[in-house]
Amino acid sequence: QVQLVESGGGLVQAGGSLRLSCAASGSIFSIDVMRWYRQAPGKQRELVAVIASGDSTNYADSVKGRFTISRDSAKNTVYLEMNSLKPEDTAVYYCNAEYTTMELTTGLRWGQGTQVTVSS
């Protein structure tokens, strides 16, 4: 079974930086797409950044120029480098992954989430 484990969240002052990691483990043949979402209290979950095959990336307008998504395919890990953080970036951050297993089945898995809190 494929699992995703996020890490790197925490409390930071406005203007600061954090780096989130999301490591996938299990019977993985390939990871095709990895995404970061976030959900603030009382709000819907929103897509923050995507990285797909060939390392093409896309970002929400609210984070363009401040956040960078990258991945280490050898480690099945995706990162979210967050700079110039604002209080409105406060949320639980989730990663998900679309993958193909060694048995050549496909699936989608979510991580458990990691809290990011930005103080003003």
Side-chain angles (χ1 to χ4, degrees), residues 27-32 98-107:
S27 181
I28 299 169
F29 175 72
S30 67
I31 296 182
D32 306 307
E98 294 180 31
Y99 58 87
T100 301
T101 68
M102 293 294 189
E103 295 75 28
L104 299 183
T105 60
T106 59

Side-chain angles (χ1 to χ4, degrees), residues 3 8 10 24-26 29 40 43 57 59 67 81 86-88 97 101 113 119:
Q3 291 186 323
S25 62
F29 175 72
K43 295 188 176 181
T57 60
Y59 299 91
F67 290 11
E81 186 76 35
K86 304 175 182 180
E88 51 264 42
T101 68
S119 63

Side-chain angles (χ1 to χ4, degrees), residues 11-50:
L11 173 64
V12 65
Q13 287 189 331
S17 299
L18 282 174
R19 188 192 196 207
L20 305 183
S21 300
C22 173
S25 62
S27 181
I28 299 169
F29 175 72
S30 67
I31 296 182
D32 306 307
V33 184
M34 298 190 84
R35 304 176 182 89
W36 284 100
Y37 285 80
R38 67 186 180 187
Q39 188 166 19
K43 295 188 176 181
Q44 289 189 329
R45 191 171 296 190
E46 63 171 346
L47 180 62
V48 175
V50 184

